[in-house]
PDB file of all heavy atoms in Angstrom:
ATOM      1  N   VAL A  72     -98.325 -25.376  77.138  1.00 81.00           N
ATOM      2  CA  VAL A  72     -99.103 -26.611  77.220  1.00 81.00           C
ATOM      3  C   VAL A  72     -99.204 -27.089  78.668  1.00 81.00           C
ATOM      4  O   VAL A  72    -100.280 -27.465  79.135  1.00 81.00           O
ATOM      5  CB  VAL A  72     -98.472 -27.704  76.339  1.00 81.00           C
ATOM      6  CG1 VAL A  72     -99.152 -29.047  76.584  1.00 81.00           C
ATOM      7  CG2 VAL A  72     -98.593 -27.319  74.867  1.00 81.00           C
ATOM      8  N   MET A 161    -105.958 -20.944  71.666  1.00 67.00           N
ATOM      9  CA  MET A 161    -104.700 -21.428  71.107  1.00 67.00           C
ATOM     10  C   MET A 161    -104.797 -22.850  70.590  1.00 67.00           C
ATOM     11  O   MET A 161    -104.207 -23.195  69.569  1.00 67.00           O
ATOM     12  CB  MET A 161    -103.606 -21.361  72.175  1.00 67.00           C
ATOM     13  CG  MET A 161    -103.139 -19.971  72.523  1.00 67.00           C
ATOM     14  SD  MET A 161    -101.906 -20.015  73.851  1.00 67.00           S
ATOM     15  CE  MET A 161    -100.600 -20.936  73.044  1.00 67.00           C
ATOM     16  N   TYR A 162    -105.522 -23.692  71.306  1.00 71.00           N
ATOM     17  CA  TYR A 162    -105.384 -25.127  71.072  1.00 71.00           C
ATOM     18  C   TYR A 162    -106.641 -25.871  70.630  1.00 71.00           C
ATOM     19  O   TYR A 162    -106.567 -27.059  70.323  1.00 71.00           O
ATOM     20  CB  TYR A 162    -104.860 -25.796  72.348  1.00 71.00           C
ATOM     21  CG  TYR A 162    -103.529 -25.257  72.826  1.00 71.00           C
ATOM     22  CD1 TYR A 162    -103.391 -24.701  74.091  1.00 71.00           C
ATOM     23  CD2 TYR A 162    -102.411 -25.299  72.003  1.00 71.00           C
ATOM     24  CE1 TYR A 162    -102.179 -24.221  74.537  1.00 71.00           C
ATOM     25  CE2 TYR A 162    -101.187 -24.815  72.438  1.00 71.00           C
ATOM     26  CZ  TYR A 162    -101.077 -24.278  73.705  1.00 71.00           C
ATOM     27  OH  TYR A 162     -99.876 -23.794  74.148  1.00 71.00           O
ATOM     28  N   LEU A 205    -108.585 -30.423  72.845  1.00 79.00           N
ATOM     29  CA  LEU A 205    -107.609 -29.395  72.528  1.00 79.00           C
ATOM     30  C   LEU A 205    -106.447 -30.017  71.752  1.00 79.00           C
ATOM     31  O   LEU A 205    -105.960 -31.087  72.094  1.00 79.00           O
ATOM     32  CB  LEU A 205    -107.087 -28.726  73.803  1.00 79.00           C
ATOM     33  CG  LEU A 205    -108.150 -28.046  74.669  1.00 79.00           C
ATOM     34  CD1 LEU A 205    -107.516 -27.437  75.902  1.00 79.00           C
ATOM     35  CD2 LEU A 205    -108.896 -26.984  73.882  1.00 79.00           C
ATOM     36  N   THR A 206    -106.013 -29.316  70.717  1.00 73.00           N
ATOM     37  CA  THR A 206    -104.904 -29.769  69.889  1.00 73.00           C
ATOM     38  C   THR A 206    -103.677 -28.961  70.270  1.00 73.00           C
ATOM     39  O   THR A 206    -103.528 -27.807  69.860  1.00 73.00           O
ATOM     40  CB  THR A 206    -105.231 -29.581  68.392  1.00 73.00           C
ATOM     41  OG1 THR A 206    -106.459 -30.229  68.094  1.00 73.00           O
ATOM     42  CG2 THR A 206    -104.113 -30.162  67.524  1.00 73.00           C
ATOM     43  N   PHE A 207    -102.784 -29.567  71.050  1.00 70.00           N
ATOM     44  CA  PHE A 207    -101.701 -28.812  71.654  1.00 70.00           C
ATOM     45  C   PHE A 207    -100.548 -28.469  70.713  1.00 70.00           C
ATOM     46  O   PHE A 207     -99.619 -27.790  71.107  1.00 70.00           O
ATOM     47  CB  PHE A 207    -101.158 -29.554  72.877  1.00 70.00           C
ATOM     48  CG  PHE A 207    -102.087 -29.482  74.059  1.00 70.00           C
ATOM     49  CD1 PHE A 207    -102.672 -30.635  74.558  1.00 70.00           C
ATOM     50  CD2 PHE A 207    -102.381 -28.277  74.657  1.00 70.00           C
ATOM     51  CE1 PHE A 207    -103.531 -30.569  75.645  1.00 70.00           C
ATOM     52  CE2 PHE A 207    -103.241 -28.210  75.744  1.00 70.00           C
ATOM     53  CZ  PHE A 207    -103.812 -29.354  76.236  1.00 70.00           C
ATOM     54  N   ASP A 208    -100.593 -28.945  69.467  1.00 66.00           N
ATOM     55  CA  ASP A 208     -99.512 -28.592  68.540  1.00 66.00           C
ATOM     56  C   ASP A 208     -99.942 -27.521  67.541  1.00 66.00           C
ATOM     57  O   ASP A 208     -99.279 -27.273  66.545  1.00 66.00           O
ATOM     58  CB  ASP A 208     -99.019 -29.834  67.777  1.00 66.00           C
ATOM     59  CG  ASP A 208    -100.123 -30.503  66.967  1.00 66.00           C
ATOM     60  OD1 ASP A 208    -101.291 -30.057  67.064  1.00 66.00           O
ATOM     61  OD2 ASP A 208     -99.818 -31.468  66.245  1.00 66.00           O
ATOM     62  N   ARG A 209    -101.067 -26.861  67.827  1.00 59.00           N
ATOM     63  CA  ARG A 209    -101.560 -25.833  66.911  1.00 59.00           C
ATOM     64  C   ARG A 209    -100.711 -24.570  66.998  1.00 59.00           C
ATOM     65  O   ARG A 209    -100.305 -24.145  68.076  1.00 59.00           O
ATOM     66  CB  ARG A 209    -103.018 -25.493  67.255  1.00 59.00           C
ATOM     67  CG  ARG A 209    -103.634 -24.470  66.307  1.00 59.00           C
ATOM     68  CD  ARG A 209    -105.110 -24.286  66.598  1.00 59.00           C
ATOM     69  NE  ARG A 209    -105.687 -23.278  65.743  1.00 59.00           N
ATOM     70  CZ  ARG A 209    -106.974 -22.946  65.772  1.00 59.00           C
ATOM     71  NH1 ARG A 209    -107.796 -23.537  66.594  1.00 59.00           N
ATOM     72  NH2 ARG A 209    -107.432 -22.005  64.967  1.00 59.00           N
ATOM     73  N   LYS A 210    -100.442 -23.958  65.860  1.00 59.00           N
ATOM     74  CA  LYS A 210     -99.670 -22.720  65.821  1.00 59.00           C
ATOM     75  C   LYS A 210    -100.490 -21.575  66.409  1.00 59.00           C
ATOM     76  O   LYS A 210    -101.683 -21.457  66.167  1.00 59.00           O
ATOM     77  CB  LYS A 210     -99.285 -22.386  64.377  1.00 59.00           C
ATOM     78  CG  LYS A 210     -98.401 -21.153  64.252  1.00 59.00           C
ATOM     79  CD  LYS A 210     -98.057 -20.889  62.795  1.00 59.00           C
ATOM     80  CE  LYS A 210     -97.203 -19.632  62.663  1.00 59.00           C
ATOM     81  NZ  LYS A 210     -96.880 -19.319  61.251  1.00 59.00           N
ATOM     82  N   VAL A 211     -99.844 -20.729  67.213  1.00 55.00           N
ATOM     83  CA  VAL A 211    -100.533 -19.595  67.838  1.00 55.00           C
ATOM     84  C   VAL A 211    -100.821 -18.520  66.796  1.00 55.00           C
ATOM     85  O   VAL A 211     -99.929 -18.059  66.094  1.00 55.00           O
ATOM     86  CB  VAL A 211     -99.672 -18.991  68.959  1.00 55.00           C
ATOM     87  CG1 VAL A 211    -100.361 -17.789  69.574  1.00 55.00           C
ATOM     88  CG2 VAL A 211     -99.394 -20.038  70.023  1.00 55.00           C
TER      89      VAL A 211
END
Side-chain angles (χ1 to χ4, degrees):
V72 171
M161 288 177 63
Y162 301 121
L205 300 179
T206 306
F207 286 116
D208 59 355
R209 183 174 178 178
K210 184 180 178 182
V211 178

